[in-house]
C-alpha cells in the first residue's frame, strides 16, 4: 500500500502489534485506549537519509508514518500524544475512522526529565477529513530537518520553513485564537446590552480587536 505515493524506497507496510506501544508505557489507560478504539496499526513509511537520499538533520533523523484504522466513527486525540512520546523518532499518523481520513503530526522536542532524555509532544497539528487525491503530502528539502518542516507546514497550514519560524507562527495562531474568543465575548455583551452608548463602546472595542486579528493573520500567510 502506497497511500501517499511516497518513493518506493520509503515503503515498509508492516503491521504493528498494539503492545508495541502500550508495552513500553506504565499508563494503563493507553492499553485500554488501543484495545478499545484501534482496529489495526500499519507502519507505512520510513523517511530517513538512507530511504530518501537526503542529509541527516540536526533535530530530525527519522520520520515514521503509521496508518491507524479505528473501530468507531470517532476517536480520542489525546492518547496519540502519549503513543508518540514513546517513540524515539518523529511521526505522522494517518487516522481512518468511518469513511474519513485525518492526518496528525506532533511537533516533538527532546526534554530532560529526572536526568533522562525523553520526547515531549509540544503541539499537535491535525488536518481533518483529507482526500488523498487532493491533500497529498509532498516530500520537500535536502535534509531531514527540511523534510520534517515541510510535512509539518503542510499539515498545520502554517508557512514555516524552519523550527524557529514554526514556533513563532504557533504563537501568532494562539494570539489570534485568543482574540477571536474576546470578539465572541464582546458580541454577546453587545447583544445583551440595553444602553446604546455602551453598545457603541463595545462595538468600537470589537472593531479594534478585529483589526488586530487582520494584522496578525497577514503574518501567518
Amino acid at each position: 500500500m502506497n497511500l501517499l505515493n511516497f518513493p518506493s524506497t520509503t515503503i515498509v507496510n508492516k503491521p504493528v502489534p498494539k503492545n508495541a506501544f502500550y508495552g513500553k508505557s506504565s499508563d494503563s489507560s493507553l492499553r485500554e485506549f488501543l484495545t478499545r478504539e484501534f482496529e489495526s496499526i500499519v507502519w507505512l513509511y520510513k523517511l530517513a537519509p538512507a530511504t530518501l537520499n537526503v542529509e541527516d538533520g540536526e533535530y530530525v533523523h527519522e520520520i515514521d508514518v503509521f496508518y491507524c484504522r479505528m473501530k468507531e466513527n470517532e476517536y480520542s486525540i489525546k492518547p496519540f500524544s502519549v503513543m508518540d512520546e514513546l517513540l524515539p523518532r518523529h511521526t505522522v499518523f494517518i487516522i481512518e475512522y468511518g469513511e474519513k481520513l485525518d492526518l496528525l503530526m506532533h511537533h516533538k522536542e527532546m526534554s530532560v526529565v529526572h536526568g533522562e532524555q525523553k520526547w515531549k509532544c509540544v503541539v499537535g497539528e491535525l488536518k481533518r477529513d483529507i482526500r488523498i487525491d487532493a491533500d497529498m503530502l509532498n516530500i520537500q528539502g535536502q535534509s531531514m530537518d527540511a523534510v520534517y518542516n515541510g510535512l509539518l507546514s503542510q499539515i498545520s497550514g502554517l508557512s514555516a520553513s524552519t523550527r524557529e519560524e514554526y514556533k513563532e507562527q504557533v504563537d501568532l495562531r494562539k494570539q489570534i485564537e485568543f482574540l477571536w474568543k474576546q470578539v465572541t465575548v464582546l458580541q454577546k455583551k453587545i447583544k445583551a446590552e440595553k444602553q446604546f452608548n455602551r453598545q457603541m463602546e463595545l462595538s468600537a472595542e470589537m472593531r479594534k480587536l478585529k483589526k488586530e486579528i487582520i494584522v496578525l493573520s497577514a503574518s501567518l500567510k
Side-chain angles (χ1 to χ4, degrees), residues 126-178:
L126 181 67
K127 189 171 186 178
R128 287 193 176 276
D129 199 12
I130 66 163
R131 288 170 43 214
I132 292 299
D133 57 339
D135 298 295
M136 189 72 69
L137 292 178
N138 297 311
I139 296 176
Q140 307 165 345
Q142 298 302 312
S143 73
M144 287 304 300
D145 286 352
V147 171
Y148 170 79
N149 290 327
L151 294 175
L152 190 61
S153 177
Q154 292 171 70
I155 293 174
S156 67
L158 300 175
S159 55
S161 59
T162 66
R163 189 170 71 158
E164 290 72 24
E165 286 181 0
Y166 171 75
K167 290 180 179 180
E168 290 174 1
Q169 300 230 341
V170 167
D171 287 340
L172 280 173
R173 187 174 62 186
K174 287 180 180 178
Q175 292 178 51
I176 292 169
E177 290 171 352
F178 175 73

Side-chain angles (χ1 to χ4, degrees), residues 67-84:
Y67 182 82
C68 304
R69 188 190 301 273
M70 314 307 290
K71 293 180 179 179
E72 305 295 336
N73 293 336
E74 57 184 20
Y75 63 93
S76 305
I77 286 290
K78 189 174 180 180
F80 275 93
S81 66
V82 179
M83 293 169 58
D84 208 347

